[in-house]
């Protein structure tokens, strides 16, 4: 029997990292989807909504909106193909059979409402800010990602960081991680997680490793000479001098941090 890759991770942590693909790959659900001929049509509030094709009228298609049962006509060019249910909550959107705007937005939304804030898009990792603390940055979770290949573990900023760290050790070259997004997207918080992960895996002695799960410096005493504490506690000092309030973020970082490993 193969070892459980999530053996050291609690159920509470796991629910925010991965989904049970066996529940998604239900043959009955697949058959029901195929019979409805579902597509995506434009929606003025939600962007896109699911609808089933009722009849064809040349350049226009008459569809029935799944949510309301209302019949409407839409132009054929405004419709977008929908992926089979087996692709629901897919971890890497590059795997989607129908890679279009509606499918990408639906997958991100579907994963977000399931507590899955990290999703790959090819080489990139898309993060949707949950605006709350999630239990996916503990030392047990770090151990889950340490030394693993990206496809062996669920999407996470730790997986991106570990790839950069291992590449640095193997190639003996500097590596860069770019965190980009609008104000309030979570760039600074994810940068902290990058630093947290690097500090943990680079620590020389496990026995002398202090917890880096909590980044509130008021709850920890600075210990001279410890790489982890020095890195993690430098960020609030920078924030004190460089942060400002924006429309979407009361504590927006107004400075650029360059961390060279």
């Amino acid at each position: 029997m193969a070892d459980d890759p999530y053996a050291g991770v609690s159920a509470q942590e796991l629910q925010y990292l991965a989904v049970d693909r066996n529940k998604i790959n239900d043959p009955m659900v697949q058959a029901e989807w195929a019979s409805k001929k579902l597509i995506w049509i434009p929606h003025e509030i939600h962007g896109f909504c699911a609808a089933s094709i009722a009849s064809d009228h040349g350049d226009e298609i008459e569809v029935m909106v799944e949510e309301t049962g209302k019949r409407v006509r839409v132009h054929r060019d405004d419709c977008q193909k929908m992926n089979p249910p087996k692709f629901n909550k897919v971890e890497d959107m590059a795997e989607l059979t129908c890679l279009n705007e509606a499918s990408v937005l639906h997958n991100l939304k579907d994963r977000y409402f399931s507590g899955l804030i990290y999703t790959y898009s090819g080489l990139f990792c898309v993060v949707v800010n949950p605006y709350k603390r999630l239990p996916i940055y503990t030392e047990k979770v770090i151990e889950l990602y340490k030394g693993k290949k990206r496809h062996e573990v669920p999407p996470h900023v730790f997986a991106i960081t570990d790839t950069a760290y291992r590449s640095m050790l193997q190639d003996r070259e500097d590596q860069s991680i770019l965190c980009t997004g609008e104000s309030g997207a979570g760039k600074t918080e994810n940068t902290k997680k990058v630093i947290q992960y690097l500090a943990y895996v680079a620590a020389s002695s496990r026995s002398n490793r202090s917890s880096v799960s909590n980044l509130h410096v008021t709850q920890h005493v600075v210990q001279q000479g410890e790489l982890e504490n020095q890195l993690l506690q430098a960020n609030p000092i920078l924030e004190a001098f460089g942060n400002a309030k924006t429309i979407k973020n009361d504590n927006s970082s107004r400075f650029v941090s360059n961390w060279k490993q």
Side-chain angles (χ1 to χ4, degrees), residues 142 146 158 161 165 191-205 209-212 215 226-233 259 261:
I142 292 179
K146 191 169 66 173
F158 288 165
T161 309
Y165 180 70
T191 300
K192 291 178 183 178
K193 303 310 178 187
V194 170
I195 298 170
Q196 174 190 350
Y197 187 90
L198 290 174
Y200 186 96
V201 299
S204 58
S205 174
R209 180 181 293 124
S210 60
S211 175
V212 294
L215 298 181
E226 292 190 3
L227 173 63
E228 299 171 56
N229 286 324
Q230 290 180 357
L231 287 175
L232 294 175
Q233 298 201 25
W259 295 91
Q261 180 68 21

Side-chain angles (χ1 to χ4, degrees), residues 3-261:
D3 295 335
D4 183 3
Y6 307 118
V9 180
S10 68
Q12 182 185 16
E13 295 166 332
L14 187 58
Q15 69 174 326
Y16 295 107
L17 293 173
V19 296
D20 187 354
R21 302 306 303 182
N22 293 325
K23 295 181 179 179
I24 295 177
N25 297 329
D26 187 342
M28 294 184 63
V29 176
Q30 303 284 343
E32 182 182 359
W33 173 86
S35 64
K36 288 185 176 181
K37 300 180 180 179
L38 292 174
I39 58 173
W40 294 111
I41 64 171
H43 191 280
E44 58 184 12
I45 297 177
H46 303 296
F48 298 92
C49 66
S52 57
I53 299 176
S55 59
D56 196 333
H57 301 276
D59 290 337
E60 290 187 336
I61 301 176
E62 184 175 342
V63 299
M64 183 176 68
V65 180
E66 282 291 294
E67 185 175 357
T68 63
K70 181 180 178 181
R71 286 178 175 264
V72 296
R73 283 194 180 190
V74 294
H75 198 279
R76 185 182 299 273
D77 293 339
D78 294 331
C79 301
Q80 297 187 22
K81 293 182 178 180
M82 182 182 292
N83 290 280
K86 67 178 182 179
F87 290 103
N88 287 349
K89 302 176 185 177
V90 67
E91 293 184 345
D92 190 346
M93 293 184 292
E95 299 176 3
L96 293 175
T97 300
C98 304
L99 187 58
N100 50 51
E101 183 182 1
S103 297
V104 167
L105 292 176
H106 171 73
N107 191 66
L108 290 173
K109 180 180 178 181
D110 202 15
R111 286 179 60 83
Y112 178 78
F113 285 125
S114 297
L116 306 169
I117 66 171
Y118 292 104
T119 307
Y120 289 136
S121 180
L123 298 175
F124 300 93
C125 182
V126 182
V127 189
V128 183
N129 196 337
Y131 291 100
K132 64 179 180 180
R133 296 189 182 279
L134 298 180
I136 55 174
Y137 306 104
T138 63
E139 293 181 1
K140 289 183 179 179
V141 176
I142 292 179
E143 288 290 340
L144 171 66
Y145 285 87
K146 191 169 66 173
K148 300 288 181 60
K149 295 181 180 179
R150 202 180 79 156
H151 67 273
E152 295 176 341
V153 285
H156 201 293
V157 67
F158 288 165
I160 300 297
T161 309
D162 189 80
T163 300
Y165 180 70
R166 303 299 164 185
S167 296
M168 180 193 68
L169 295 180
Q170 180 178 348
D171 301 335
R172 299 291 181 178
E173 293 181 354
D174 292 342
Q175 304 293 316
S176 298
I177 299 176
L178 175 63
C179 298
T180 181
E182 65 178 11
S183 179
K187 301 183 296 297
T188 300
E189 289 303 314
N190 276 278
T191 300
K192 291 178 183 178
K193 303 310 178 187
V194 170
I195 298 170
Q196 174 190 350
Y197 187 90
L198 290 174
Y200 186 96
V201 299
S204 58
S205 174
R206 177 184 293 268
S207 60
N208 293 330
R209 180 181 293 124
S210 60
S211 175
V212 294
S213 298
N214 193 331
L215 298 181
H216 294 288
V217 297
T218 56
Q219 299 179 13
H220 297 276
V221 178
V222 179
Q223 299 180 18
Q224 295 292 334
E226 292 190 3
L227 173 63
E228 299 171 56
N229 286 324
Q230 290 180 357
L231 287 175
L232 294 175
Q233 298 201 25
N235 194 76
I237 298 175
L238 294 174
E239 289 184 356
F241 289 96
N243 284 16
K245 184 176 181 179
T246 63
I247 296 176
K248 296 184 178 180
N249 188 1
D250 289 343
N251 193 38
S252 179
S253 299
R254 299 289 89 191
F255 58 88
V256 178
S257 299
N258 291 313
W259 295 91
K260 186 175 181 180
Q261 180 68 21

